[in-house]
Amino acid sequence: MNAHFVADAKAAGTGFKDVKPDHWAGKAIEAAVGKGYFKGYADGTFQPNATVTRAELAALLARVAEGEADVNTAASFADLAGHWSEAEVKRAIALGFVQPSDYPDGFKPNTPITRFEIAKWMASGLAEADPDYRQALEDTKRTVIPVKEYFNPGIPESKSSYIAVALGTKLLSGYPDGSFGMDLKATRAETAAILLNYENASLKQADQFLGLRELRQVGTERTNLETISPFTTGNTSFNNVVDKTYTFKNNAGTLKLHHYIVVDTEDFKDISSIYAPLFVDETDYVERIDKAGTYRAYIQITIFPKTEDFDLGHYMNGVSAGIVGGSRINNTTLANNYGYLTLPNINAKEFFKRNNRGQGITIWVKRYLDTATANAQITTDDNSFASIKNKQ
């Protein structure tokens, strides 16, 4: 048996000498130990910053997961023969957590597990147990993921849905710097918290998680409008107009709409949208604007200049469609941190020249949506149409 599972000398649920009372995961560690998921070391420590191996996580999941598992038909790894975790890994495979095809060169049980592996294992386990979670994995393959890796260097579609489901169900969360840390090794403290999160998620339906509903709608409809706000596209759809050409009325350029993300900023003390950290923080509050009925929309577009020395005015004066007309996102701290572009406030000509590499300039712009005046629409060059209005 691996040393990470040596029984602690103290009773379950009591403190460890290396876990201070104010440790960020202290309560999670105490709860995980109390439930018998984790044990400490014989010297009275928990070693919260130590890594967790693949074999250890499989053993932990075998303790947490409920349900029958036909381990006799589960695939096996040659490098696990006689290993202490062989039975636990087979159970993890049978329950859908581990996909043997992910490890063609062997399971390598002593390898520290990464945060992406944890996200995939746990999202896969939820999907195996519930068809709606399985559908959620499909729905979120092309969603906007609110972590900095989404913007740079990008997250491949083969990985995106697992991260989306993990974030949307609060199995895992990002780091304070906005990153997810896909390749970082998970610590014992993190894993204790994640196991409790999995236990909670496994007792809920997928549609009980607001964040996951937002991620799913953005993945399938390019917007979270209906999920987070009192607005709707009615019998139209953004799918009708995204990635289609819209020519400026001044003919100075064209643009394409990609995503339309709404954040519920009508009450800055109670913002629920999973996308809020990408675009707003407490410094954005404006008393005369941010009140009941007012929401912020963040719109991803690509501008294709046609006019020489394309300037900010060409965009501002050339776009009559309210859905794709917006202004600069003032919180440049967040924009710079996550790595996306917004409209410039100075040297606009240089900005558009510098960032136009032959494929247009992809930026995010902001506009306000108000329930009192919520009417906006767009008609693309091929006469495709979408509109926004209040829900009836």
Side-chain angles (χ1 to χ4, degrees), residues 113-156:
I113 198 160
T114 66
R115 282 170 53 85
F116 172 71
E117 284 180 290
I118 291 182
K120 184 169 186 179
W121 284 25
M122 293 196 169
S124 297
L126 290 173
E128 181 71 18
D130 187 328
D132 198 25
Y133 281 110
R134 191 177 311 130
Q135 185 60 48
L137 287 175
E138 290 296 318
D139 292 345
T140 54
K141 283 183 176 179
R142 298 183 63 197
T143 197
V144 175
I145 302 178
V147 295
K148 65 196 311 180
E149 292 95 333
Y150 172 83
F151 300 95
N152 185 28
I155 299 174

Side-chain angles (χ1 to χ4, degrees), residues 23 34 67 87 93 180 188 191 199 218 251-252 271 280 283 316 324 326 359 361-362 373 381:
H23 191 283
I93 294 171
F180 182 79
R188 280 167 56 84
T191 305
E199 184 180 55
V218 172
N251 206 39
I271 297 178
V280 295
T283 66
M316 302 298 288
V324 290
Q359 297 179 329
I361 307 102
T362 299
T373 58
D381 290 3

Side-chain angles (χ1 to χ4, degrees), residues 4-5 8 11-14 16 19 24-40 46 48 52 57 59-61 63-64 122 187-199:
H4 281 235
F5 300 105
D8 183 54
T14 60
F16 296 93
V19 180
W24 71 267
K27 291 183 178 179
I29 291 170
E30 183 174 333
V33 171
K35 290 174 178 286
Y37 301 155
F38 261 109
K39 296 179 182 178
F46 185 79
V52 174
L57 184 64
L60 290 165
L61 289 174
R63 299 175 184 180
V64 176
M122 293 196 169
T187 67
R188 280 167 56 84
E190 287 179 310
T191 305
I194 293 167
L195 287 172
L196 296 178
N197 293 341
Y198 177 83
E199 184 180 55

Side-chain angles (χ1 to χ4, degrees), residues 190-250:
E190 287 179 310
T191 305
I194 293 167
L195 287 172
L196 296 178
N197 293 341
Y198 177 83
E199 184 180 55
N200 176 63
S202 66
L203 298 175
K204 293 184 177 181
Q205 302 295 314
D207 64 3
Q208 290 181 261
F209 292 97
L210 174 62
L212 184 56
R213 296 204 310 273
E214 288 185 83
L215 290 161
R216 294 178 74 172
Q217 191 187 10
V218 172
T220 56
E221 301 178 36
R222 303 296 188 95
T223 184
N224 61 340
L225 188 73
E226 279 87 356
T227 302
I228 200 68
S229 78
F231 309 108
T232 179
T233 55
N235 58 4
T236 69
S237 170
F238 280 123
N239 283 330
N240 295 337
V241 296
V242 292
D243 300 330
K244 293 185 177 181
T245 299
Y246 169 89
T247 298
F248 296 2
K249 64 181 182 181
N250 56 15

